[in-house]
Amino acid sequence: MAELVRVRRLSGLEGQQLLRITRRGTGSPIRLRRAMVVLASAGGNTAPAIARLVQADEDTIRQVIHRFNEMGMASLDSQWAGGRPRQISSDEDQFIVETATTRPEKLGRSFTRWSIRKLADHLCLHATRRVRIGRERLRQILHRYRITFQPTKTWEESTDADRDAKLARIEHVSSHFPQRVFAFDEFGPLVIRPQAGTGWAPAGRPRRLPANYHKLHGVRQFHGCYSLGDDQLWGVVRRRKSAANTLAALTSIRAARPDGAPIYVILDNLSAHKGHKIRAWAARNRVELCFTPTYASWANPIEAQFGPLRTFVIAGSNHPNHPALTRQLQAYLRWRNANARHPDVLAAQRRERARIRSERQRRWGQPATHAA
């Protein structure tokens, strides 16, 4: 019968070191497991018993014991090698990334997106430049180049033939006549129901609102007007969008500049904004209607002003009815307009920041940084 594999007799120092490693359980997990194997073998345990203790193969246990008998405590340390030579070049990495970011249909495949399995199969068998690669290695390469699995996004591209001309006109009047430029749009629909939001609360005790998804009070539309030069926002809540309500809003804008000089109103292409009566009224009152291109309402300056309305008036609210919501909306508009930063104040603040930067640079030799 073959002789049982057992570790040689330990010296006092070796036994103390092994005991310290196993008791503390810190450091490399590999070093800890090997120390447990050697210590168990020194205590008279057989290889099968040690294998059950550390959940390893019996041959692995015997290999650890033989290495310790030959090398001593140095055998506990991992002998990391350089590994196999790299078989996928940097050029092949780029080819893999390009293939992964190309729709399979364009490469003659009959599916709309890649999976790791399908991509590895395509690279190995069907690509113009074949690359043999495993799925895990393929995943690692995609991760290294920040190629992630994401949902597909959709958007509406403007099909307006006059897109560039309209955008150029809006940019021109906004930069040359800001004090005479206004924006108009509707914000809604406004519904009466608890709205989810965010706010400060004790940890683990968020504010709670009752759940109600029924629109019992109908919907409303906020018709907003924004003065670009004065940074003032006002408007009224209406039951619906209509040409009459649009005309009323444009009349209030014209009243904001009663001097009779031309003014410019930026608005989108809604049919209620461009009827015959509205165009005739604009011509009589020296109001130029600057329409945004189709599917490009982002060019309207008022769109950015609606974000705070949703954040500070709608989100986290539970208004009982539309009159209460309207009162809250108008109260916020009064606060907003009273605390609007006038362009002269902003210019003064920029000049003061520039002075501080130049003074710091002169005193300490620090490079000037961009404005906050």
Side-chain angles (χ1 to χ4, degrees), residues 62 129 131 135 139 151 193 206 245-246 255 327:
R62 296 185 180 94
R129 178 180 179 180
V131 180
R135 281 176 284 171
R139 186 195 62 79
R193 70 180 185 200
N245 292 335
T246 300
R327 287 193 297 269

Side-chain angles (χ1 to χ4, degrees), residues 49-258:
I50 300 173
R52 290 191 297 270
L53 173 67
V54 297
Q55 296 296 309
D57 185 76
E58 294 181 18
D59 292 337
T60 303
I61 301 301
R62 296 185 180 94
Q63 182 180 5
V64 171
I65 294 173
H66 284 308
R67 284 175 57 84
F68 184 85
N69 291 337
E70 295 172 2
M71 302 174 58
M73 294 296 296
S75 67
L76 303 183
D77 298 324
S78 300
Q79 304 295 322
W80 302 111
R84 293 196 313 172
R86 178 180 173 87
Q87 296 182 348
I88 299 178
S89 64
S90 300
D91 292 341
E92 289 174 330
D93 282 355
Q94 294 298 327
F95 177 73
I96 291 172
V97 170
E98 292 175 3
T99 305
T101 53
T102 302
R103 286 181 64 87
E105 297 170 328
K106 293 185 177 180
L107 300 178
R109 309 300 287 162
S110 59
F111 29 86
T112 59
R113 67 174 179 88
W114 297 112
S115 66
I116 293 293
R117 184 189 298 272
K118 287 182 173 59
L119 181 56
D121 176 73
H122 175 81
L123 291 170
C124 181
L125 300 176
H126 304 282
T128 56
R129 178 180 179 180
R130 296 185 178 183
V131 180
R132 294 188 60 186
I133 186 171
R135 281 176 284 171
E136 178 60 21
R137 181 56 179 159
L138 177 58
R139 186 195 62 79
Q140 293 174 359
I141 292 177
L142 296 179
H143 178 75
R144 186 169 73 245
Y145 286 92
R146 302 178 63 84
I147 305 300
T148 59
F149 196 77
Q150 304 175 27
T152 302
K153 301 288 187 177
T154 61
W155 73 93
E156 291 284 356
E157 187 68 28
S158 177
T159 57
D160 198 326
D162 300 326
R163 175 182 180 275
D164 294 336
K166 290 180 178 179
L167 291 177
R169 183 57 179 169
I170 292 174
E171 293 174 359
H172 176 78
V173 299
S174 299
S175 59
H176 289 79
F177 316 107
Q179 296 297 330
R180 310 198 67 81
V181 174
F182 298 83
F184 167 76
D185 200 6
E186 294 89 358
F187 171 65
L190 305 178
V191 297
I192 300 301
R193 70 180 185 200
Q195 302 281 349
T198 56
W200 297 101
R205 298 175 58 189
R207 181 190 176 196
R208 299 188 180 276
L209 297 174
N212 180 11
Y213 300 98
H214 301 288
K215 301 178 182 178
L216 302 178
H217 300 266
V219 299
R220 299 290 187 273
Q221 300 285 340
F222 173 71
H223 288 60
C225 307
Y226 176 62
S227 174
L228 192 64
D230 300 335
D231 192 23
Q232 298 290 296
L233 179 66
W234 71 94
V236 295
V237 175
R238 305 285 191 181
R239 287 184 176 273
R240 62 183 63 87
K241 302 177 183 180
S242 67
N245 292 335
T246 300
L247 186 57
L250 295 177
T251 303
S252 71
I253 291 176
R254 177 73 269 187
R257 296 291 186 273

Side-chain angles (χ1 to χ4, degrees), residues 190-193 217 220 222 237 309 312-314 317-334:
L190 305 178
V191 297
I192 300 301
R193 70 180 185 200
H217 300 266
R220 299 290 187 273
F222 173 71
V237 175
L309 292 184
F312 296 107
V313 180
I314 305 299
S317 68
N318 187 16
H319 302 293
N321 48 49
H322 279 294
L325 172 58
T326 301
R327 287 193 297 269
Q328 183 67 27
L329 186 61
Q330 295 296 340
Y332 174 79
L333 290 177
R334 288 192 295 270

